[in-house]
Amino acid sequence: MSTRFLKYFFEPESLAVIGASEKNFSLGGQVVANLNDADFPGKVWVVNPKKYAQVHGREVYHSIQKLPEVPDLAVVCTPAAAAPGVVEELGHFGVKAALILTSNQGHRQTNYKQKLLEAAQTSGIRVMGPECMGILVPGRKLNASYAPQNIKAGKVAYIGQSGMLGNAIIDWANGRGIGFSHLITLGDSVDVRLADVIDFINRFSSAQAILLHLEHIPDSRHFMTAVREASRNKLVLAIKSGRTPEAQGDPLLLTPGLPNRDPVYNAAFSRAGMVRVHNSEELFDALETLTRMRPVRGDRLAIISNGLGPSMLAVDRLIHQGGQLAPLSEATREKLRDWLPSDEYRINPLDIGGGATPQHFVDAIQLVSADPNVDAVLVVHAPTRLAPSETTAMAVIANRKTYKRNLLTSWMGLDHAFPARHEFNLAGIPTYLSPEKAVQAFMHLVNYQRNQRLLQETPPSLAFETARDARQRAKELVSRVAEQGRDHLTHWETRELLQAYGIELAKTFYPQTPEQAAEMAELLPGSKALKINHANNSFPFVYRKHPHKLSAGLLQDLETPEDVENGARKLQAKREEKFPDSPFYSFVLQSMQRGKHSMQLNLGVTRDPVFGPIILFGIGGYKVNILFDRQLALPPLNMTLAKDLVTRSHAGRLIQEHSNHADEDLDRICQLLVKLSQLCSELPLIKGLEINPLLLNREELLAIDVQCDLGDPAYHAIMPYPEDLRKVVNLKDGREVEVRPIRGEDAVALLGFHSRLSEESIRFRYFHNKADLSKRDLSLLTQINYDRQMAFIAEQTLEDGSKEILGVSRVWTDPDNVRTEFSVIIRDDLQGLGLGSLLMNKLISYSKSVGTLEMVGKIMVENHPMRGLMKHLGFKCSYNLEEQVIDAVLPLNEPTSDWQRHRLQNPVF
């Protein structure tokens, strides 16, 4: 992932179009015409080997080598067969960015995309495309595309993977008077990826929102890293095409345990802080909302209409989407009672009656929008003789500056409503064809705020932690199975694995023979369950159509040892009949676990081909129940994210409604989910693991049946907690401290650490007095993205077992991993113990290991202890006259390319 040279795509000062002519249907000719129409202020040259003098008024050069200068950007419109050679020639000529509009369709050139990539790699030129529509940046008068129209400047950046959908959005937006900061289609993305462009827009663009159209995600970790970072600063919406297996076009892209992969995208988008739209109509409505509404504070909507029927449509959608009707204040209610048309009135939705005039609409909006309990107002209008559509719309528009909340409108109808909606478009007031669409658009903004609050919520401190020696035993067990060439664990091995992470199974015996099964049955009370464990039934997420048949390998309600022995013989005979080549491991003998008001749950880990490991939770038991209630989340999980996963499920709602100890039950389940998340993060060979059922009763949480299989090392979409970076050291005074990466659960301890800092220490760290850390501050400082940031804390365990933070160091690394910026802060009463040097050396060692080229930092002039530490560590310090600070710079690794050397001299390119 890299923003290298992307500036030349979006901010070029010169541009060459390769393969343009004035022939009809010339792709390059359309690009030149669009550049002319947009009044692009930079230099534009055309390259065509044929004997053209000009193309649309632009001078033609017969080869790339004859261009008068090296252009910032080249737009390649040649036939597909020539494109790789053109890219290679452009790169050696010194061009930094090539936009390839040509597709391979109809040319049947094999390995076309691979040839383009190889051609680019010889020189380091960046390539966007092929098969993209182009780039439009109206703020810079750039239209390097074959789009049939130009676009207005706006505050939303659109990044898509389909040129045709891009064309449709341009046409729709122009019809609504909506603009964009950027409109980019990436095509097949052989080099410049979606995540690269998101990073660039987030870091260098003034866009307030990003709208994504996704067909595929080539690198889930880079995508999640870029979007998680962007969504902290901008509203990000996404539409994903290919939601069904048929539309995905690749039957091999399956996620075990899921009939459809689309819920995985829901989980990923939510975790990244994005809001998802599900169809093109929603996409257009969302775009209107983003362009014309301010951020909302909450989900309380007031609805005003001149008839109850239309407003109830809006109410149904609002409640279904998880919003709420605004509870109007008593003061507002009293004012409304004075002029409502009937004694039988509704306060919200507010029905002002079929006799309402345009002025009634205006008065109602002014009154309701002033209520502090209202977050937004929706006005639903049906045409009447007293309130004609266009006349009423003009009255609402004329008074729009007096409304104190966001206003959404739905003028229902077509003939009379169409000109009214047009007036709203011209006035910049969001308007929708139906009340339901208006509510859906409102909920996009609400869901964004909800996602942000969830991401910023401080997870509680972990009351448990898996012992290191137990985790090491688990790693050795998995490695041993893999070395034996097996792709699955036995029931006994899976039990040992789960117990290493503190997940308990019901009391279980593993007899090898029917006779042993009878002997062990004497040791178990009550009725017994007997299962045969062999290779064929050791895999998770395999649900048999008839689970009670003998071939399923399970017998229940065996009362006596004789019943158990006979049952074992039957199971063994059936295995030999049905699965003669499946190695036998053991029988699995347990007491029947009924009664105690128990509830069956299902949870586990599966692996998605795009996003890697996924945590599953829901109701357990039979296949139909499991698939009905299967909820998903991306690891790593903390207690807050685990609770969100559980409460989304039907099982979670049942626990909340019927358990006498709902909070305790939910807490136990969440702890188990966090342990499962740790397990799959630390054991990358785990491909799938299922606990079905997990029994919840009044006394305990017990795993009953378990399966686990192995695969290639997992690639996590979100980098897990780097457990291997923990280290215990001793300070100069002999005290023992642990230096480890920070995590979300450290927020409370970090707040305590901050409270013990002096004003001077805080000012030296933040360059201003920051008396308190807000919720957002704590989220940003503790819930970091390990793919791009790192923070180490020095932690001491006190006599009572509690822990406190003594110091913190951290780095923020740019997406290209060229430069990282550091900070370090030590508690005032602990300075002089070598803690600052310890934490800085930890940062330096880590940054070197991940290949970062340079570490930089800014130090206040009067911060003499820090300046001394920098000198001791080998930093080069110089005075920055413009900012009046000390710049500290430490080389870490040698650059390996001219571009890296260039970036070290210029931080923007």
Side-chain angles (χ1 to χ4, degrees), residues 4 32 34 69 107 126 151 174 268 294 355 360 381 445 497 504 546 607 620 670 673 771 858 888:
R4 174 172 60 92
V32 175
N34 280 342
E69 299 175 26
H107 297 277
R126 299 305 305 273
I151 56 174
N174 284 339
R294 302 183 301 273
H360 282 127
H381 173 274
L445 294 181
L497 181 70
E504 289 299 324
H546 302 289
R607 189 180 296 185
C670 291
L673 285 167
K858 295 185 181 296

Side-chain angles (χ1 to χ4, degrees), residues 487-489 494 497 538 540 686 688-690 706-710:
D487 59 355
H488 59 276
L489 273 64
T494 306
L497 181 70
S538 295
I686 299 293
L689 191 155
E690 184 177 23
V706 293
Q707 291 90 23
C708 180
D709 63 348
L710 306 180

Side-chain angles (χ1 to χ4, degrees), residues 583-600:
F584 167 76
Y585 298 132
S586 71
F587 297 103
V588 180
L589 182 64
Q590 297 174 339
S591 292
M592 293 293 295
Q593 300 290 334
R594 289 202 181 103
K596 302 180 183 178
H597 298 281
S598 59
M599 179 179 182
Q600 291 189 8

Side-chain angles (χ1 to χ4, degrees), residues 180-199:
F180 297 88
S181 65
H182 299 72
L183 195 145
I184 306 155
T185 61
L186 299 174
D188 287 333
S189 305
V190 297
D191 173 35
V192 175
R193 300 295 180 92
L194 181 68
D196 302 336
V197 179
I198 293 171
D199 267 325

Side-chain angles (χ1 to χ4, degrees), residues 500-767:
Y501 282 83
I503 301 173
E504 289 299 324
L505 269 74
K507 188 174 183 180
T508 306
F509 291 103
Y510 295 94
Q512 292 293 316
T513 65
E515 293 78 13
Q516 283 185 3
E519 292 175 11
M520 293 176 178
E522 300 274 9
L523 305 176
L524 290 173
S527 301
K528 287 85 175 168
L530 183 69
K531 176 181 178 179
I532 187 169
N533 183 209
H534 56 89
N536 191 266
N537 71 352
S538 295
F539 294 89
F541 312 114
V542 178
Y543 306 118
R544 299 189 181 276
K545 189 174 182 180
H546 302 289
H548 292 296
K549 281 191 172 182
L550 192 62
S551 59
L554 175 66
L555 293 173
Q556 295 178 319
D557 295 310
L558 303 175
E559 298 293 341
T560 66
E562 291 75 17
D563 292 341
V564 172
E565 182 175 351
N566 291 334
R569 297 188 191 282
K570 291 178 182 178
L571 290 173
Q572 201 167 44
K574 184 59 68 172
R575 179 196 67 82
E576 292 171 355
E577 174 192 343
K578 292 287 187 179
F579 310 104
D581 297 327
S582 179
F584 167 76
Y585 298 132
S586 71
F587 297 103
V588 180
L589 182 64
Q590 297 174 339
S591 292
M592 293 293 295
Q593 300 290 334
R594 289 202 181 103
K596 302 180 183 178
H597 298 281
S598 59
M599 179 179 182
Q600 291 189 8
L601 303 173
N602 175 286
L603 69 161
V605 179
T606 187
R607 189 180 296 185
D608 183 75
V610 173
F611 291 96
I614 305 290
I615 305 294
L616 307 174
F617 177 79
I619 283 180
Y622 299 127
K623 176 181 179 180
V624 63
N625 296 331
I626 293 169
L627 298 184
F628 162 75
D629 190 38
R630 180 146 274 171
Q631 301 298 317
L632 294 74
L634 269 65
L637 295 183
N638 55 39
M639 290 292 285
T640 300
L641 294 171
K643 186 175 182 180
D644 176 68
L645 171 61
V646 174
T647 53
R648 278 192 275 119
S649 69
H650 183 62
R653 291 190 291 272
L654 288 176
I655 293 168
Q656 289 175 308
E657 291 171 8
H658 300 293
S659 173
N660 293 328
H661 308 283
D663 290 341
E664 292 85 345
D665 288 341
L666 291 176
D667 192 61
R668 285 189 291 164
I669 294 170
C670 291
Q671 287 190 22
L672 194 152
L673 285 167
V674 172
K675 292 173 182 177
L676 204 61
S677 169
Q678 292 174 343
L679 183 153
C680 77
S681 296
E682 295 174 9
L683 302 174
L685 292 180
I686 299 293
K687 181 181 177 183
L689 191 155
E690 184 177 23
I691 304 174
N692 180 39
L694 175 76
L695 205 66
L696 171 68
N697 58 43
R698 289 174 296 182
E699 300 173 358
E700 56 194 346
L701 194 62
L702 278 180
I704 305 300
D705 199 15
V706 293
Q707 291 90 23
C708 180
D709 63 348
L710 306 180
D712 295 330
Y715 182 76
H716 288 255
I718 301 174
M719 184 174 284
Y721 182 76
E723 190 74 36
D724 56 320
L725 295 178
R726 302 175 73 149
K727 187 177 181 181
V728 176
V729 297
N730 291 98
L731 301 182
K732 290 180 179 179
D733 63 355
R735 79 176 72 193
E736 184 178 86
V737 300
E738 182 180 28
V739 178
R740 63 170 177 84
I742 204 166
R743 57 189 177 199
E745 291 82 357
D746 295 318
V748 174
L750 186 67
L751 201 58
F753 168 75
H754 186 83
S755 68
R756 299 184 66 175
L757 298 172
S758 66
E759 285 189 13
E760 183 180 63
S761 291
I762 293 172
R763 187 168 58 87
F764 283 164
R765 163 63 178 86
Y766 296 101
F767 284 50

Side-chain angles (χ1 to χ4, degrees), residues 378-399:
L378 167 61
V379 181
V380 183
H381 173 274
T384 67
R385 288 188 178 276
L386 292 177
S389 294
E390 189 170 4
T391 304
T392 307
M394 296 304 293
V396 171
I397 292 168
N399 293 275

